Amino acid sequence: KIKDLGPADAFKAIAAAGATFAARADKSGTSTKELGIWKKAGLDPATEKPAWYLETGQGMGATLTIASEKGAYTVTDRATYLANKDKLQLEILVEGDNSLLNVYHVITVDPIKWPKVNYDGAVAFMNFMTDPALQEVIGKFGVDKYGQQLFIPDADKTDADLGL
């Protein structure tokens, strides 16, 4: 009964029902995003350790497999879900909310503070990742295989532009 709820409301409903939730619990970006949603829901299962909160300590693919086997809920990135979808008995129930965006940034460190850093290499990598041509490749990646884009290029966007 969580389909189309907002993420925090869905998490509240999962907790209230005592439904099994499979958490990566590995300090990854997705795990951190999940914990942030629990916090917005006013809950902290990672600290409280209720019986329904299953910490897998595994990567996303393994956590999806566990969630499928246990009939559990989980949070995943779209790319890993689509790559494994045919082996899973899971469906997407909550999506499209900006709070689910897991934004990654390319940053360089201060070469004055960290003189041994390869600053020129870092700048070259940053320029490569933010180049409009590569941003277009990122936006089209996976469409031919999965029928939808797996990543949202955002090099020219601020958090405010993304609704964060």
Side-chain angles (χ1 to χ4, degrees), residues 91-160:
E91 66 177 285
I92 297 172
L93 298 173
V94 177
E95 65 181 336
D97 190 285
N98 284 354
S99 70
L100 293 171
L101 286 175
N102 199 4
V103 179
Y104 287 80
H105 295 286
V106 174
I107 59 172
T108 60
V109 296
D110 183 348
I112 295 170
K113 185 172 182 179
W114 303 101
K116 293 182 181 181
V117 72
N118 178 359
Y119 184 70
D120 291 338
V123 170
F125 180 71
M126 179 185 69
N127 290 337
F128 169 73
M129 291 300 297
T130 59
D131 182 87
L134 184 62
Q135 290 287 293
E136 186 175 336
V137 170
I138 291 168
K140 292 180 179 176
F141 184 77
V143 173
D144 56 339
K145 186 171 184 175
Y146 301 109
Q148 58 185 286
Q149 74 182 92
L150 303 183
F151 305 103
I152 300 168
D154 66 352
D156 61 342
K157 300 190 175 50
T158 67
D159 283 355

